Amino acid sequence: MALKVAIVGLPNVGKSTLFNALTQTAAAQAANYPFCTIEPNVGDVAVPEPRLDKLAAVIPSKEIIPARINFVDVAGLVRGASKGEGLGNQFLGNIRDCDAIAFVARCFVDDDVTHVEGKVDPLADLDTIDTELMLADLESLEKRVVNLEKRAKVGDKDAATTLRLVNLALAELNAGRPARVAKVPAEDEKAWRMLQLLTSKPALYVANVDEASAAEGNALSKQVQERAAKDGADSVVISAKIESEIAMLDAGERGEFLETLGLAEPGLNRLIREAYHLLGLQTYFTVGPKEARAWTIHKGDTAPQAAGVIHTDFEKGFIRAETIAYDDYVRLGGEAGAREAGRMRSEGKEYVVQDGDVMNFRFNV
């Protein structure tokens, strides 16, 4: 399941520094001038999952394979991007290809790092991003209306459905609200996604603070958190500069460094988990002597759908899923102990997979 989260913000807010920390590389050049990032950087990141280590220790498993999520560091947006200013069109196209957006807001003051607007104001930055994305969506939708109306008048049912959704989105956008707040009927969700609206994507607000504010945040990050709550979005406070330093330490040094900062874990772990949650994802596990592995599925997926993530044949020929809850697997010492205690269940095609389930699929093709 190749899922992408775009890292979006104005120039010099810390996007590339954050991306470097996420990927534990220096792949994205970080420099003090606009449009340092031109081509988007894409990084494949492991989802932090402490349960996986515990499961692997039960057998033990030779290899541990975490779930993955992609982050995309795209060029800094500037006022007028929807009209092609800066790297506008390229920027917007890179976002359109992603499943969700992490809006990075600068919540630190540093005279050595220029701000494209001349002052540090995270809410104004977020307003600029919202405005440009909404203008881009408006332009995209308005171009479609006339053609859709013609097709709908001659009985094209698909065109009629699309036109209704376009008008639903336009109503929100013309009122100054992102398309994601629209109430879309469940049966129209697929057609809604086909509109490929920038402002319909789930949003995560990232308040990038100075080192001293990494643990508790600051006045600027509190503004971002309040804005996120108002917009119905998730938020996370992080110091990209500190995270980039942590990423370059070995495992033994990280714990000590985090303790000196008053942090229980790297902020990146929270960021990745929030992105995972934002996309409506959850994890199930397969465990054996060869490997312990985390698999990504959507909340609400059934056992056959979960099996299909491993291989399409598993879903097509699904018979049943031998299932053990995570806590039972660890507490009872694995599959044999869970079976003996009556905690292994045989689940059929209608079973909705729960987060943390340890599963073994039976199938026939």
Side-chain angles (χ1 to χ4, degrees), residues 4 92 116 155 164 181 213 248 262 277 295 352:
K4 289 184 180 179
L92 297 172
V116 72
R164 175 167 50 80
V181 305
S213 305
M248 295 306 168
H277 173 263
W295 300 90
V352 176

Side-chain angles (χ1 to χ4, degrees), residues 32-184:
N32 183 22
Y33 55 89
F35 311 126
C36 170
T37 301
I38 297 177
E39 294 298 326
N41 298 292
V42 181
D44 185 43
V45 178
V47 177
E49 182 50 85
R51 292 178 297 181
L52 190 56
D53 293 328
K54 293 180 181 178
L55 289 170
V58 172
I59 288 186
S61 303
K62 292 181 179 178
E63 188 176 5
I64 297 175
I65 305 177
R68 316 291 295 187
I69 190 169
N70 287 328
F71 283 87
V72 183
D73 173 29
V74 294
L77 177 148
V78 294
R79 196 179 304 278
S82 61
K83 301 300 181 184
E85 291 294 325
L87 297 169
N89 295 331
Q90 183 175 340
F91 169 91
L92 297 172
N94 293 333
I95 298 177
R96 209 176 294 281
D97 189 42
C98 293
D99 302 287
I101 305 175
F103 294 102
V104 182
R106 178 172 167 176
C107 296
F108 65 90
V109 177
D110 187 339
D111 293 337
D112 293 329
V113 180
T114 59
H115 190 289
V116 72
E117 296 284 356
K119 62 178 181 178
V120 176
D121 185 342
L123 296 187
D125 292 356
L126 291 172
D127 285 340
T128 296
I129 296 170
D130 277 346
T131 298
E132 295 305 323
L133 297 189
M134 284 192 283
L135 287 172
D137 278 348
L138 276 168
E139 183 179 3
S140 169
L141 292 172
E142 287 169 350
K143 287 179 179 177
R144 306 185 207 183
V145 172
V146 174
N147 182 46
L148 287 169
E149 286 178 338
K150 289 179 181 177
R151 289 165 52 198
K153 283 180 181 178
V154 297
D156 187 326
K157 292 183 179 179
D158 290 338
T161 297
T162 302
L163 179 61
R164 175 167 50 80
L165 295 176
V166 164
N167 287 329
L168 178 62
L170 284 172
E172 297 296 344
L173 293 165
N174 284 319
R177 296 186 294 266
R180 75 178 66 89
V181 305
K183 304 297 183 185
V184 180

Side-chain angles (χ1 to χ4, degrees), residues 92-93 95-98 136-137 140-141 144 190-201:
L92 297 172
I95 298 177
R96 209 176 294 281
D97 189 42
C98 293
D137 278 348
S140 169
L141 292 172
R144 306 185 207 183
K190 184 177 180 180
W192 176 256
R193 288 195 298 271
M194 294 293 287
L195 295 179
Q196 289 191 303
L197 300 177
L198 298 170
T199 63
S200 70
K201 297 181 184 298

